[in-house]
Amino acid sequence: MPAKLMKAFAERGSVGNVRVQQADKGLVIVFNAGGGMDECVLGQARGGVRYFQSFDGAASTLQSMGIVEFAANSRNWVPRTFKGVSASE
Protein backbone atom coordinates (compact mmCIF):
# COMPACT_ATOMS: atom_id res chain seq x y z
CA MET A 1 0.00 0.00 0.00
CA PRO A 2 1.47 3.39 -0.96
CA ALA A 3 2.34 5.81 1.85
CA LYS A 4 -0.31 8.34 0.74
CA LEU A 5 -3.06 5.75 1.10
CA MET A 6 -1.72 4.52 4.44
CA LYS A 7 -1.62 8.12 5.69
CA ALA A 8 -5.25 8.61 4.62
CA PHE A 9 -6.27 5.50 6.59
CA ALA A 10 -4.20 6.70 9.57
CA GLU A 11 -5.89 10.12 9.54
CA ARG A 12 -9.26 8.35 9.87
CA GLY A 13 -7.95 6.15 12.69
CA SER A 14 -8.25 3.06 10.51
CA VAL A 15 -4.69 1.73 10.89
CA GLY A 16 -3.89 -0.86 13.54
CA ASN A 17 -1.44 -3.57 14.50
CA VAL A 18 1.49 -1.54 13.16
CA ARG A 19 4.90 -3.15 13.41
CA VAL A 20 8.40 -2.84 12.02
CA GLN A 21 10.00 -6.15 11.14
CA GLN A 22 12.89 -7.68 9.23
CA ALA A 23 12.44 -8.63 5.58
CA ASP A 24 14.83 -9.91 2.93
CA LYS A 25 16.17 -6.45 1.94
CA GLY A 26 15.82 -4.50 5.18
CA LEU A 27 13.07 -3.45 7.55
CA VAL A 28 9.43 -3.11 6.49
CA ILE A 29 6.32 -1.61 8.04
CA VAL A 30 3.42 -4.05 8.31
CA PHE A 31 -0.09 -3.00 9.39
CA ASN A 32 -3.83 -3.58 9.12
CA ALA A 33 -5.92 -0.87 7.49
CA GLY A 34 -9.65 -0.35 7.20
CA GLY A 35 -12.42 -2.59 8.43
CA GLY A 36 -11.46 -6.24 8.02
CA MET A 37 -8.61 -5.55 5.58
CA ASP A 38 -5.79 -8.06 5.42
CA GLU A 39 -2.26 -7.22 6.47
CA CYS A 40 -0.53 -4.66 4.28
CA VAL A 41 3.09 -3.71 3.79
CA LEU A 42 4.02 -0.08 3.25
CA GLY A 43 4.95 0.41 -0.38
CA GLN A 44 6.74 2.93 -2.50
CA ALA A 45 4.86 5.55 -4.48
CA ARG A 46 5.69 3.82 -7.79
CA GLY A 47 5.08 0.29 -6.60
CA GLY A 48 7.03 -2.31 -4.71
CA VAL A 49 7.81 -2.63 -1.01
CA ARG A 50 9.46 0.24 0.83
CA TYR A 51 12.54 -1.02 2.70
CA PHE A 52 14.22 0.83 5.56
CA GLN A 53 17.83 0.38 6.64
CA SER A 54 17.23 1.73 10.15
CA PHE A 55 14.55 1.72 12.82
CA ASP A 56 14.94 5.48 12.94
CA GLY A 57 13.86 5.80 9.30
CA ALA A 58 10.84 3.57 9.81
CA ALA A 59 9.83 5.37 13.03
CA SER A 60 10.21 8.77 11.34
CA THR A 61 7.94 7.67 8.49
CA LEU A 62 5.31 6.40 10.91
CA GLN A 63 5.49 9.55 13.01
CA SER A 64 4.99 11.70 9.90
CA MET A 65 1.71 9.82 9.39
CA GLY A 66 0.62 10.47 12.96
CA ILE A 67 1.39 6.92 14.13
CA VAL A 68 3.42 7.13 17.33
CA GLU A 69 2.88 3.63 18.75
CA PHE A 70 4.04 0.47 17.02
CA ALA A 71 5.73 -2.86 17.76
CA ALA A 72 9.21 -3.75 16.57
CA ASN A 73 10.88 -7.12 16.09
CA SER A 74 14.64 -6.92 15.56
CA ARG A 75 15.28 -10.68 15.47
CA ASN A 76 17.76 -11.50 12.65
CA TRP A 77 18.28 -7.80 11.86
CA VAL A 78 21.85 -6.49 11.79
CA PRO A 79 22.26 -2.71 12.14
CA ARG A 80 24.35 -0.95 9.49
CA THR A 81 26.86 -0.01 12.18
CA PHE A 82 27.56 -3.72 12.82
CA LYS A 83 27.77 -4.88 9.20
CA GLY A 84 31.36 -3.76 8.67
CA VAL A 85 32.72 -4.77 12.10
CA SER A 86 34.95 -7.83 12.19
CA ALA A 87 34.71 -10.46 14.94
CA SER A 88 38.07 -9.38 16.38
CA GLU A 89 36.87 -5.87 17.24
Side-chain angles (χ1 to χ4, degrees), residues 11-31:
E11 288 171 350
R12 291 188 303 221
S14 298
V15 172
N17 194 28
V18 181
R19 66 187 183 279
V20 176
Q21 68 184 42
Q22 173 64 31
D24 57 342
K25 295 180 183 178
L27 300 168
V28 294
I29 295 173
V30 181
F31 59 97

Side-chain angles (χ1 to χ4, degrees), residues 23-67:
D24 57 342
K25 295 180 183 178
L27 300 168
V28 294
I29 295 173
V30 181
F31 59 97
N32 293 95
M37 185 178 264
D38 292 332
E39 276 192 340
C40 300
V41 176
L42 181 64
Q44 299 177 3
R46 296 183 184 206
V49 175
R50 180 164 180 192
Y51 294 99
F52 297 88
Q53 298 306 307
S54 71
F55 278 104
D56 188 59
S60 176
T61 296
L62 289 170
Q63 193 171 35
S64 73
M65 294 180 185
I67 300 169

